Amino acid sequence: MMQLPTDVLYLVCEEVSKLQDFHTLFNCALAGKNLVQPALLWIYRIHLQSTIISSEGNDADLIQNDTFQGRVEAQKTTLFKWALLWKSIIRSSLGTTAYPYCLYIRSLDLRNLTDLLEDPQFRDKALDNFFADEMAQFLKSQETPMKQKMRGARAASRRLDVPNVLELVGESITSFVSQAANQNRATVAVEDLSGNIRTAALTNWTSRLSKLKSMTLWDGAALDKSVAEAISESCYNFDDLTFFTCLRNDTDHDLASFFGGLRANTLRSFAALSAGALGPETLLSLNHHANSLKKLKMDGLRSDAVKNLSYLQGCTALESIELSDSNGAVDLESTEHDVFLEVINWLGRCEGIQELLLRNFISGPKILTQVCLKNNIRLRKLQVVGYTLAGAQEFHRALSHQTSLESLELRADPETAFRDDIDILVSSVCQLTNLKYLDLLSTSDYFSTSEILTLASHLRQLEVVFFSGYDVTDALWHGISQLHNLRSLNIHAVTSFSFGAILGYISTLQDTNRGLLLSVMNQKAEYAISNRNEKTIRKTIGTRVDGKFEFTLFRELDSESDTPSD
């Protein structure tokens, strides 16, 4: 019997892994000794795409069980598989498994292990087995026991010291993979590291992970010069950093020393999902990567950082910028005019920029007015959140020059707007004929059917739409039916649609609308659609384009209900 070369078997398993077909890979591992290693390698290499990496498991598995007890058992089975996956990875770092599973993983995601250890079901059903035998060395409990509230339960139960457990696990895995790579004159497979990791551990682990490319940390305060030096000496591919928060507010200097300590022009992406600890020093240090930094996200900047945004003016290679002001209190144009002009100049020199997102910046529309008018700027995505529709006419006129836009989100307060404010906005957006995504929620609160129809008649490439408004009627459907690429229509306007008109619209849908989500979220109560008719709509849209229908009645606050009776 002819045997396929080993290289071919690896390629076959790789192709199966691209389909995320874990069942077939598992059967391959059982099929014979020639297939077991290629199959296991790809099972563990893509293990984070598995449906068993949470106690929720696969929805299909739960749906198949039509009883409550059946669903409970399905969740329990998934939990045990999830725990077994992690146990096999950890035990392999001790050299006690048939195959070195931890050598196969590309991502060491300690966030997922944290989710497992903190899952109540894990504590109740799987903890003892998980930390049995040689795994006992990783078991660390807090000194104070956790009280049980359930009747009949034990008076106290161990509460895991999760940070210490994670540190022991990470130490074991990174040590093992590093030693194995040295012995075999190979490279470590791990490219991504994530979790709540302390500074000392981060320094040690990164020095062992030569192929490390990206890190996602819970606490950015763990970053300092020592971590940067370890990465610079060992991780030549490192270029991507994300952290969720900084638990200390005095980390500006340490973060600056981290960015400055990396090899120059190596960082390509930096995201701070809670950027309150970032200050002038950190902003300035990012210029150390001025020629390489392509993506920058800083959410929730404090006032002192907003006032020093011009420190970023050396970073002109950026292609995506996402910034938000935590308080929305700094008016750069009025109080920091030099910075205001320097920010405009900086953004105007980012000739490769494609995505620009500004949230809660008082001067955002004024800055963007100048940026949008520059001939060298060709944006594909623009998001502006937290401004007033009144007084933004110049910005909206300038917006019409960015005809390359494919995604636009404008969230403005329309309360003080006049008719001409709305007309200028609609006229400008109509010029953006390449738009595929349009979100005008809140901005369009005073739109009626005519404004939506005007937009639909010009923006024929739309795939996703969000709008609000008032008194939107069945006259809308004819215009919307011309959007043959539409995949998600989210109507938050106060509507008075009829059952027949909605079915009529669905009858016009084409194959290009396959998977359409139709959401009608504020239907007037006097135009309520019966449950039977709702089911008919859902069945019809599902049959026609495999779509979904969401429906909610508008409930206006009844002021009289708050008035005490006589």
Side-chain angles (χ1 to χ4, degrees):
M1 181 178 177
M2 186 182 70
Q3 289 188 346
L4 292 174
T6 302
D7 289 348
V8 173
L9 296 178
Y10 275 95
L11 289 173
V12 169
C13 290
E14 181 178 2
E15 290 303 312
V16 175
S17 74
K18 292 177 181 178
L19 302 174
Q20 296 182 17
D21 189 346
F22 286 88
H23 182 71
T24 299
L25 284 173
F26 182 71
N27 285 332
C28 287
L30 298 177
K33 62 180 182 179
N34 292 331
L35 265 174
V36 61
Q37 189 156 345
L40 287 174
L41 182 145
W42 282 105
I43 285 175
Y44 281 89
R45 187 153 288 181
I46 64 168
H47 72 281
L48 289 178
Q49 280 74 57
S50 170
T51 57
I52 66 166
I53 59 169
S54 77
S55 60
E56 297 302 318
N58 191 338
D59 288 341
D61 293 336
L62 298 180
I63 292 172
Q64 290 174 3
N65 293 275
D66 55 2
T67 65
F68 174 76
Q69 188 59 37
R71 294 188 184 96
V72 170
E73 289 301 317
Q75 282 193 326
K76 183 178 177 181
T77 299
T78 300
L79 175 74
F80 287 151
K81 289 180 179 179
W82 184 19
L84 182 60
L85 173 67
W86 269 109
K87 186 175 181 178
S88 65
I89 293 172
I90 299 168
R91 286 185 65 234
S92 70
S93 72
L94 302 175
T96 59
T97 54
Y99 293 91
Y101 309 116
C102 67
L103 297 185
Y104 306 152
I105 62 174
R106 281 181 173 168
S107 177
L108 180 53
D109 187 357
L110 297 179
R111 295 173 301 173
N112 183 257
L113 179 56
T114 300
D115 291 342
L116 173 66
L117 298 178
E118 293 181 346
D119 192 304
Q121 293 188 71
F122 171 81
R123 186 180 65 244
D124 295 338
K125 299 181 176 70
L127 186 147
D128 291 337
N129 181 265
F130 187 86
F131 289 105
D133 302 323
E134 68 269 23
M135 288 288 292
Q137 62 187 285
F138 299 104
L139 177 59
K140 297 293 178 183
S141 302
Q142 294 181 6
E143 294 182 1
T144 304
M146 178 177 56
K147 294 183 179 179
Q148 294 282 354
K149 294 183 179 180
M150 295 180 62
R151 183 177 299 176
R154 290 175 296 175
S157 177
R158 285 176 297 179
R159 182 190 292 273
L160 283 176
D161 186 348
V162 174
N164 278 329
V165 173
L166 296 179
E167 202 154 297
L168 290 172
V169 168
E171 179 66 23
S172 181
I173 292 175
T174 57
S175 295
F176 183 84
V177 298
S178 178
Q179 292 170 10
N182 291 334
Q183 290 172 5
N184 298 321
R185 296 184 179 180
T187 56
V188 176
V190 175
E191 298 176 353
D192 174 74
L193 177 64
S194 55
N196 189 3
I197 308 170
R198 289 175 265 199
T199 303
L202 202 55
T203 302
N204 291 332
W205 299 355
T206 53
S207 67
R208 300 165 182 161
L209 305 177
S210 57
K211 288 186 69 176
L212 186 69
K213 184 175 177 63
S214 64
M215 286 197 306
T216 303
L217 305 176
W218 171 254
D219 185 7
L223 299 167
D224 64 9
K225 189 174 182 180
S226 66
V227 178
E229 290 174 348
I231 292 174
S232 296
E233 293 173 5
S234 305
C235 310
Y236 291 97
N237 296 324
F238 181 77
D239 64 2
D240 183 0
L241 172 67
T242 298
F243 62 73
F244 288 90
T245 188
C246 278
L247 298 180
R248 298 192 342 259
N249 290 324
D250 59 344
T251 58
D252 188 33
H253 177 74
D254 285 341
L255 288 173
S257 67
F258 170 79
F259 290 117
L262 296 173
R263 286 174 291 112
N265 294 314
T266 55
L267 194 67
R268 290 176 56 85
S269 175
F270 169 54
L273 304 186
S274 179
L278 275 62
E281 286 190 63
T282 301
L283 299 182
L284 194 60
S285 69
L286 289 172
N287 289 279
H288 189 58
H289 306 277
N291 297 328
S292 63
L293 194 61
K294 301 294 183 183
K295 185 174 182 180
L296 177 63
K297 177 178 180 176
M298 297 185 292
D299 198 357
L301 291 166
R302 293 184 306 184
S303 295
D304 62 334
V306 174
K307 292 177 181 178
N308 289 282
L309 278 178
S310 58
Y311 282 0
L312 292 167
Q313 59 187 304
C315 300
T316 55
L318 285 163
E319 297 174 358
S320 175
I321 300 175
E322 183 173 351
L323 306 173
S324 75
D325 184 341
S326 62
N327 299 316
V330 180
D331 187 343
L332 291 177
E333 184 184 29
S334 299
T335 63
E336 309 287 338
H337 195 67
D338 290 344
V339 176
F340 172 76
L341 296 176
E342 289 171 353
V343 169
I344 293 174
N345 180 263
W346 162 51
L347 294 175
R349 289 186 293 111
C350 296
E351 296 187 359
I353 191 168
Q354 297 182 27
E355 300 181 357
L356 183 53
L357 294 79
L358 295 182
R359 293 190 294 273
N360 217 23
F361 278 87
I362 294 177
S363 302
K366 294 291 183 67
I367 291 171
L368 291 171
T369 298
Q370 301 302 317
V371 174
C372 286
L373 290 172
K374 292 186 179 293
N375 293 327
N376 61 324
I377 301 297
R378 291 289 182 269
L379 295 173
R380 293 180 60 189
K381 179 177 182 179
L382 178 65
Q383 179 193 76
V384 191
V385 176
Y387 71 104
T388 56
L389 184 56
Q393 292 185 12
E394 292 303 312
F395 164 52
H396 293 147
R397 287 193 180 98
L399 187 62
S400 65
H401 290 261
Q402 292 298 317
T403 54
S404 56
L405 276 170
E406 297 179 6
S407 174
L408 177 64
E409 179 179 346
L410 301 176
R411 297 285 186 96
D413 179 359
E415 289 304 319
T416 58
F418 293 97
R419 182 74 251 172
D420 55 342
D421 293 313
I422 294 174
D423 291 342
I424 289 171
L425 171 62
V426 172
S427 175
S428 293
V429 174
C430 283
Q431 308 304 310
L432 309 178
T433 55
N434 288 312
L435 280 180
K436 297 178 180 179
Y437 179 99
L438 178 63
D439 184 343
L440 296 177
L441 284 181
S442 75
T443 308
S444 56
D445 279 357
Y446 294 107
F447 283 22
S448 61
T449 307
S450 60
E451 283 79 24
I452 306 302
L453 286 174
T454 300
L455 291 170
S457 67
H458 289 81
L459 308 177
R460 295 299 177 84
Q461 302 302 315
L462 283 173
E463 297 177 3
V464 180
V465 181
F466 293 83
F467 64 85
S468 49
Y470 70 97
D471 197 24
V472 175
T473 68
D474 285 337
L476 176 77
W477 295 118
H478 176 70
I480 294 295
S481 68
Q482 304 305 308
L483 302 179
H484 300 308
N485 296 312
L486 201 61
R487 300 293 180 84
S488 181
L489 177 58
N490 302 273
I491 304 174
H492 291 252
V494 178
T495 55
S496 53
F497 298 142
S498 66
F499 168 66
I502 295 175
L503 282 184
Y505 166 66
I506 293 173
S507 70
T508 69
L509 297 176
Q510 303 179 6
D511 284 343
T512 51
N513 298 117
R514 184 152 297 278
L516 174 69
L517 170 63
L518 173 58
S519 297
V520 178
M521 306 308 292
N522 278 309
Q523 177 85 339
K524 289 181 180 179
E526 56 266 36
Y527 291 89
I529 296 174
S530 68
N531 290 335
R532 180 180 179 181
N533 286 344
E534 275 190 58
K535 291 179 181 179
T536 300
I537 293 173
R538 290 191 175 94
K539 182 179 179 180
T540 305
I541 196 172
T543 302
R544 178 97 183 166
V545 291
D546 193 25
K548 295 181 180 179
F549 177 63
E550 296 178 347
F551 182 79
T552 304
L553 289 178
F554 171 68
R555 287 179 169 79
E556 191 171 9
L557 181 64
D558 185 359
S559 59
E560 293 182 1
S561 65
D562 296 329
T563 304
S565 62
D566 293 337

